[in-house]
Amino acid sequence: MSTNPRHEIQEKIEEGDLRWLLLKTGELHGHFCPFVALGVKASVIAIRRLRAFTEGIDEDILAIVETNNCFADGVQMTTGCTFGNNALIFRDVGKTAMTLALRGGKGIRVLVKPGYPEAMTADNPEAKNLFERFIRRREKGTPEEMRRLKDVWEALSFAQLEVPDDKQFKVEEVTVALPGHAPIHPSLVCAECGEAFMETRGRMKNGDPVCLPCSGDSYFVLEGGGIRMI
Ligand SMILES: [Zn+2]
Ligand SMILES: [Zn+2]
């Protein structure tokens, strides 16, 4: 028997139950914040628009995110395109935008409008102040202040679901160049540390295969600040 573990999520997307989807995304993301809500909403918009020229959402689709902040978790949970299933592409360009695309390259790109994040807290001085102090400047607040931040931020997260889409997003049809399916490579065992590694990530050292860390060569890491070579 084959099961579709995302059956319920897909049903909620059909129904447009954004609240349920945001609550579900909290399980992955760990907190409720405005950008995770925007990621959920942008994904639902893209899924619906992409359906306008496909038969369904169970085709081979990929998501491209242009930022590795909270927004990206809304995209992963809602689209089902994740870091682990190779259907997620990260373009490290620092834009709050996502694209949902078919393997053929036809896609929908949803971008948070410039100025919207600032407008979000413009008429909410408390939220603006808490964000400035405890998120942007990473100040350490009292337990009470941190609780307040969580509450205000959570309220602002759910409030995003009520804002009309066209205030938040620019939506466009795009054609993107996409890679083929992720290849599966055999493993080798490192002559130095004894750990198995993907063949393409190895180097030869004194005639034996070694893993990248043991080779001393540089490699890419994805961290909070983006992708960099170490
Ligand atoms: Zn967040
Ligand atoms: Zn090694």
Side-chain angles (χ1 to χ4, degrees):
M1 192 188 86
S2 79
T3 56
N4 174 6
R6 288 183 46 84
H7 169 77
E8 198 178 5
I9 294 175
Q10 282 165 3
E11 227 171 62
K12 299 296 178 180
I13 293 170
E14 299 292 314
E15 293 165 8
D17 193 341
L18 294 173
R19 193 183 152 77
W20 187 93
L21 291 165
L22 179 53
L23 285 167
K24 190 77 187 166
T25 302
E27 293 177 15
L28 171 73
H29 190 54
H31 64 245
F32 297 104
C33 62
F35 280 94
V36 83
L38 291 174
V40 169
K41 263 189 106 171
S43 301
V44 170
I45 292 168
I47 290 166
R48 289 185 158 176
R49 278 286 291 273
L50 204 60
R51 288 194 68 169
F53 46 81
T54 66
E55 287 305 305
I57 55 169
D58 51 356
E59 296 196 28
D60 210 4
I61 58 169
L62 292 168
I64 302 165
V65 288
E66 300 179 31
T67 178
N68 60 329
N69 69 17
C70 305
F71 183 82
D73 275 353
V75 174
Q76 290 196 88
M77 194 72 193
T78 311
T79 65
C81 301
T82 72
F83 183 70
N85 67 21
N86 294 135
L88 184 76
I89 295 172
F90 174 42
R91 290 193 178 156
D92 194 3
V93 296
K95 296 184 184 182
T96 309
M98 61 84 66
T99 302
L100 195 66
L102 302 169
R103 284 268 177 202
K106 193 163 191 178
I108 300 292
R109 180 169 181 259
V110 185
L111 167 79
V112 173
K113 282 184 171 172
Y116 180 74
E118 293 75 21
M120 210 157 53
T121 54
D123 56 357
N124 190 338
E126 188 191 13
K128 198 175 172 176
N129 181 43
L130 289 168
F131 178 79
E132 203 44 54
R133 289 181 58 198
F134 303 120
I135 297 180
R136 203 187 297 283
R137 296 208 299 260
R138 295 182 192 279
E139 276 178 36
K140 191 89 197 92
T142 64
E144 197 161 316
E145 282 172 322
M146 298 318 275
R147 244 191 329 269
R148 186 67 195 145
L149 171 71
K150 205 164 162 272
D151 288 350
V152 167
W153 223 227
E154 184 167 321
L156 202 57
S157 178
F158 284 90
Q160 296 315 305
L161 308 181
E162 313 301 328
V163 180
D165 294 347
D166 62 353
K167 272 191 126 175
Q168 295 167 318
F169 304 108
K170 188 182 115 187
V171 183
E172 57 188 356
E173 282 183 25
V174 292
T175 304
V176 287
L178 294 170
H181 287 272
I184 296 170
H185 297 288
S187 291
L188 295 176
V189 174
C190 174
E192 289 200 2
C193 68
E195 297 181 1
F197 62 92
M198 199 196 297
E199 188 182 33
T200 53
R201 297 298 187 276
R203 297 286 182 268
M204 292 304 281
K205 197 169 172 183
N206 307 323
D208 290 315
V210 291
C211 70
L212 267 176
C214 289
S215 75
D217 231 350
S218 50
Y219 54 91
F220 291 108
V221 291
L222 168 61
E223 44 188 32
I227 295 172
R228 72 182 180 103
M229 182 78 114
I230 62 165

